Each structure stands twice: as C-alpha cells, then as structure tokens.
Amino acid sequence: MKKISIVSAIILITVVIINSCGSLSVKLSEEGTGFTPAQAYLIKGKHTNSPMRVLQSDNMEDSLFLREICSPVDPVADKNLLMTLISRMQATVTDSLTAGVGIAAPQVGISKRVILVQRFDKEGEPFEAYLNPAITHYSKMKQDCREGCLSVPGIRGTTKNRSYAIYVEYNDMDNNQKGELIEGYTAVIFQHEIDHLNGILFFDHLR
Ligand SMILES: [Zn+2]
C-alpha cells in the first residue's frame, strides 16, 4: 500500500461489534508449500538487504501475475528463504523510490502468502511480517480510506467498504498459529495487503 502523507482514514471511535465466528481458512499442507527454483533464484538474486523490483499493473505480464492466487508458505521448511524474502520486502517498502506502508510478496514477483504491514497502532510504527494471513472476522462498521498502491501507478481513490476492525489469523516464523484484533487505519493496510494474496487490487473496491 502506498504511503499517503495525511492519513485520511475516517475512523469513528465507537464500540465495534465483531460478527460471527470462524476458523483459519488458510491451512498449511504439503501441496503448495516450498519455493520453486525460479522463486529461490529471484529471492537470492542480490544482497539480502537490496530492494526488489515492484510489479506494475500497467505492465501486461505483471498485471496477470498480480491477479494470481498465492500459495501458502511453510514457515519451518522455507525458513532461510523466507527470512531473506522478508528482509528484501522490507528494503523495498522502505526504499525512497517505492516508500509505502505495506507490501505483499506477489508485488515483488513471489506468489506466496507473505505480507509486511507498518503497524501504526504500535509504538515506533514498525514493519511486521505475517505468514499465511487470513481475515476470519470483519466488523460491520466500515471506514472510508484514501488508498494507493506501489503496484498501481498514478491512481488513488477512496474505498468505502473496508471494515473498521478485523480479526487476522496467521503463522509466525516458528509455525505457531496466532490471531489478533486490528482496528482503524492499520486494519485497512491488512485488508489491502491480504487482498493482494487473492489477486485483488484496491481499485476493484472503487467500482
Ligand atoms: Zn497494494
């Protein structure tokens, strides 16, 4: 998600009602885990701290790739490559040329369920990585948010259907399953980045 100088999310401070219960929809399995040789080559291609090329929606080949459904990662079996990928994704999203508040692995050419989110709701506003994230609860209350995307040049728009609060389940690097309630602008970043893992771009919500 692209950095927006003035956070324009309209956040209503009120009680949030989280509806329904559910379970983690993305489960790890043998099928679909592990990096391909081509992915490993791309991840290891340069220094571990160097930015990666960000795919662009106005490029035909890139735009097709950005619409793919990403496969899960295995945090244990793929640990070394995962750590390199996360390091390079952070270098990319914090690079002055591609500064943003979040990034998903498909944006750097890796069709895996990995995202980085800047936690504006935490002290120091750190970037944190989430593996196999899935939203299992959405608040009925919505929020408006002006969004942009590192992969969508020249377009910004105000989405009106982002939930104010969400419950996100994910795996950590030790393959523990975790869950967390996220609210406000940070919840929009999670929704935006998890959309990327399912081939959805923010302007799909503007229609
Ligand atoms: Zn994006």
Side-chain angles (χ1 to χ4, degrees):
M1 187 169 170
K2 200 160 191 171
K3 194 164 209 152
I4 298 174
S5 56
I6 298 174
V7 176
S8 58
I10 299 174
I11 301 173
L12 300 173
I13 307 301
T14 184
V15 176
V16 176
I17 299 172
I18 305 299
N19 58 60
S20 77
C21 294
S23 58
L24 184 63
S25 60
V26 175
K27 296 191 184 304
L28 293 178
S29 66
E30 290 299 314
E31 184 179 0
T33 61
F35 290 99
T36 66
Q39 289 172 333
Y41 180 82
L42 182 58
I43 292 168
K44 294 189 291 188
K46 287 188 177 179
H47 190 270
T48 54
N49 290 321
S50 62
M52 301 174 80
R53 184 180 80 83
V54 177
L55 276 60
Q56 300 294 301
S57 64
D58 59 357
N59 173 293
M60 178 64 79
E61 191 173 337
D62 287 359
S63 68
L64 292 173
F65 189 92
L66 288 167
R67 293 302 192 176
E68 291 183 5
I69 307 293
C70 298
S71 58
V73 287
D74 183 332
V76 176
D78 302 327
K79 194 158 198 162
N80 289 338
L81 273 176
L82 258 178
M83 290 177 69
T84 303
L85 173 62
I86 290 166
S87 174
R88 296 195 67 196
M89 284 171 64
Q90 178 148 356
T92 306
V93 76
T94 56
D95 186 82
S96 60
L97 296 176
T98 51
V101 296
I103 192 168
Q107 292 183 271
V108 293
I110 304 297
S111 188
K112 287 290 189 182
R113 304 190 81 83
V114 181
I115 62 171
L116 256 65
V117 171
Q118 187 167 12
R119 294 298 302 263
F120 288 98
D121 52 349
K122 290 187 177 182
E123 188 175 350
E125 301 180 348
F127 278 91
E128 294 184 350
Y130 299 88
L131 313 176
N132 304 313
I135 301 171
T136 55
H137 310 278
Y138 292 87
S139 68
K140 290 180 179 176
M141 187 169 72
K142 306 298 182 185
Q143 59 180 317
D144 293 355
C145 188
R146 186 142 179 92
E147 295 187 44
C149 179
L150 301 179
S151 293
V152 182
I155 298 177
R156 284 186 180 181
T158 301
T159 54
K160 296 179 179 294
N161 63 344
R162 300 295 196 185
S163 284
Y164 170 76
I166 54 174
Y167 193 80
V168 180
E169 295 188 16
Y170 59 93
N171 298 112
D172 67 12
M173 290 298 289
D174 295 319
N175 207 15
N176 298 309
Q177 185 174 320
K178 299 201 168 180
E180 188 176 352
L181 176 67
I182 313 285
E183 299 175 79
Y185 180 57
T186 305
V188 176
I189 304 174
F190 270 93
Q191 289 169 84
H192 178 119
E193 304 308 336
I194 292 172
D195 269 354
H196 274 298
L197 306 181
N198 297 315
I200 298 167
L201 300 174
F202 84 93
F203 57 67
D204 296 337
H205 293 283
L206 302 176
R207 294 167 181 158

